[in-house]
Amino acid sequence: MRPTPHKAAGVAALTAAALAAFFLPAVPAAAHTAPAPAGTAADCTPAQVVTDGGFENGSPAWTASSPTVITSRTGQSPHGGSSYAWLDGTGNSRTDTLSQSVTIPSGCGTATLSFYLHIDTAETTSSTAYDKLTAKIGGTTLAGWSNLDENTGYARKSFDVSSFAGQTVTLSFTGTEDYSLQTSFVLDDIALDTSGGTTPPPGDTTRTPAAPGYTVNLASDSTGTSWTGHESVTFTNASATALDEVYLRLWDNYHGTCSAMPIKVTNVTGGTAGDLSVACTALEIALPAPLAQGQSATIGFDLGITVPSGADRFGHDGAYSFIGNALPVLAIRDGAGWHLDPYTDNGEAFYSLAADFKVTLDHPSGLLVPATGTSTDTPGTSGRTITTATASQVRDFAWAAGPFSKISGTSPAGVAVNVYSVSGISSSSARSMLSTAESAVDTHAGRFGAYPYGELDAVLDNNYWFGGMEYPGFVLDLVSSTALTHEIAHQWWYGIVGDDEYNSPWLDEAFADYSTDLARGITGTNCWNSVSWASGAEKITNSMAYWDAHSSRYSTVVYGYGKCALHDLRRLIGDTAMTKLLKDYATAHWYGVSTTAEFKAAAQAATSTDLTSFWTQHRIDG
């Protein structure tokens, strides 16, 4: 689910624009073993389980890609002692890795990974991540950094890895450097501390902060490219582990620089703003006191949005602004810790819980403002209109502003559909797309459950480089019936049935493409016969960290092979069983979050056929 030429089968032919991908290096799969015997349910002895985290003892516990990675040579400085790990820093194409197998005791309720990181670079860009570092534990990417995160001295990084209690997993760091201008990623004093209780707290794997409610009031300039105002969000801690902080994702700062951010948050109330991280797309807000399970809190802040030039999911094409992912939203903490994945322009990194939004947009009356949710317009001050959009149980909020042409209709099942077109889109094309939208929303609803978001807005511009992009109740699209049918399928696969798009992109893209095939009467006969894997590491279920490093294969595997695997599953278990499986699965995860493991379990429960070899053949892990 994202902007790229591959939003739907066949859409790739619609645009030849190159992907401006935010690449992350591929990280070798980490080893998982059976639960380790260390620790007992009756006792927890606090321990630090990383061996030689300061690199002072010859480092036999560490595996490094080069003898120069662990070093005491001049050029960098240790955080403590005399040695440190220095990844990259050559100014040439290079990949350095550093890893260690660690056992996290099963009897301890808290496990925290921490390390000190220094980044310096000769890169002069303030917008492009040429050189990157990722940190992983087991199969989970904890975070990524790049030359854009250059810092003076060391910064301490900390991650909750309690969900790995009772496992032996590989802790790994991978740095990749392009062909010119060095970036050095320097690590020291790596520790993994365990403590607390006899068993992991029951809320450790709970997704939190939960039940967010956003209230936003913004006013635009005369062009609709600059918006200022205030946002607040109320939330509840659903986890048994207290919340000491929350994170706001300022996703669209990817489209600017840290010195000139398109999304600016100031005057925070209800907490204390910390440092920006992840190329200025994550802002920590320390809460005034730990928030216990079941307690609620509210934070507020002033917000400024500057829409950059470009026909993008966040950008303006002349007089027409497209404002996706601009409102700061809460990051999720679950058993893997805080999800602070980097923005990707090759796919999506968005992972959020269903929330309620009330957004008031004050704008010149000459601009139409389609938006997520159900909108009403009232007169504002002289020459201005106030559009109030309300949306319930949505994962994000997007809008557009411009002198659009608008046509409206109602699907046979009663869904209000609006099509907004930039100049240059013919009235016949707009009418054709309106008809497609009316048909698609009812067809998908018939298979997966009634469309819950009130109206549906489609904003058309043939200059989009990405094909199409979905938001709840709001999509951006080229004039393409296939692409629009795909984007509307995303109202179910990610909109209603959510997923972690960075770590499991197939759960929305493959499912949306499969749904598009069904809506168009395409059965996918023999499509698996054309599958050809590029490597042993290539899998349908790989994360965006992998696909950003192998971007030319993303569409082919996640969209193409993914939907073919679902067609094969349908043929294996039968049409009736597959239809029931997806309808029941959507119902069971309505406004929730899907995982690969949950889908595989549901599929196995839907048939008496052992699916083990099916998952292996189709490279669906998890």
Side-chain angles (χ1 to χ4, degrees), residues 80-91:
S82 61
S83 298
Y84 51 89
W86 184 352
L87 283 69
D88 302 327
T90 66

Side-chain angles (χ1 to χ4, degrees), residues 274-289:
D275 293 332
L276 286 159
S277 60
V278 199
C280 295
T281 66
L283 175 63
E284 181 181 7
I285 307 292
L287 300 179

Side-chain angles (χ1 to χ4, degrees), residues 327-599:
L327 293 184
V329 295
L330 292 170
I332 292 176
R333 190 190 76 184
D334 59 19
W338 285 105
H339 285 258
L340 302 178
D341 297 306
Y343 185 104
T344 172
D345 214 19
N346 185 37
E348 283 93 19
F350 314 129
Y351 177 28
S352 55
L353 299 181
D356 294 338
F357 284 81
K358 182 178 181 180
V359 180
T360 300
L361 302 168
D362 182 335
H363 57 89
S365 298
L367 304 179
L368 296 185
V369 180
T372 290
T374 301
S375 296
T376 58
D377 288 342
T378 56
T381 57
S382 179
R384 296 182 69 86
T385 296
I386 297 174
T387 297
T388 301
T390 57
S392 178
Q393 298 294 295
V394 296
R395 299 179 193 279
D396 201 352
F397 185 97
W399 73 100
F404 297 102
S405 298
K406 175 186 177 183
I407 58 173
S408 300
T410 304
S411 76
V415 177
V417 180
N418 305 301
V419 171
Y420 296 81
S421 304
V422 305
S423 60
I425 303 292
S426 69
S427 59
S428 61
S429 291
R431 286 193 300 271
S432 175
M433 292 290 275
L434 177 63
S435 176
T436 294
E438 291 169 349
S439 173
V441 71
D442 283 358
T443 298
H444 296 320
R447 287 194 171 93
F448 312 123
Y451 179 75
Y453 295 142
E455 64 190 47
L456 172 64
D457 295 336
V459 181
L460 307 180
D461 187 339
N462 277 330
N463 289 331
Y464 297 140
W465 66 268
F466 47 81
M469 179 63 195
E470 71 286 349
Y471 296 98
F474 177 96
V475 299
L476 307 174
D477 228 305
L478 303 169
V479 176
S480 164
S481 61
T482 301
L484 185 57
T485 302
H486 176 100
E487 302 309 328
I488 293 174
H490 274 305
Q491 301 302 310
W492 284 263
W493 306 113
Y494 179 70
I496 297 168
V497 180
D499 65 285
D500 178 349
E501 293 183 294
Y502 189 84
N503 288 298
S504 301
W506 90 287
L507 284 172
D508 54 275
E509 293 299 0
F511 282 61
D513 235 21
Y514 174 76
S515 303
T516 301
D517 273 5
L518 295 182
R520 299 176 66 225
I522 297 172
T523 63
T525 303
N526 297 322
C527 67
W528 189 259
N529 296 348
S530 62
V531 167
S532 177
W533 301 106
S535 73
E538 188 172 82
K539 300 175 183 178
I540 288 173
T541 47
N542 282 348
S543 74
M544 289 309 305
Y546 179 89
W547 297 119
D548 278 347
H550 304 81
S551 59
S552 65
R553 296 287 293 170
Y554 172 59
S555 174
T556 298
V557 177
V558 173
Y559 290 68
Y561 296 0
K563 74 173 180 182
C564 284
L566 293 174
H567 280 301
D568 267 12
L569 180 62
R570 174 175 51 81
R571 281 184 278 272
L572 179 61
I573 70 175
D575 288 357
T576 300
M578 186 67 167
T579 298
K580 186 176 188 300
L581 166 63
L582 291 182
K583 180 68 174 289
D584 290 349
Y585 191 76
T587 300
H589 292 79
W590 204 261
Y591 300 141
V593 174
S594 168
T595 67
T596 298
E598 288 170 336
F599 177 72

Side-chain angles (χ1 to χ4, degrees), residues 156 176 181 205 258 313 321 334 400 453 591 593:
R156 185 177 185 270
T176 59
L181 298 177
T205 59
C258 288
R313 55 185 172 187
S321 292
D334 59 19
Y453 295 142
Y591 300 141
V593 174

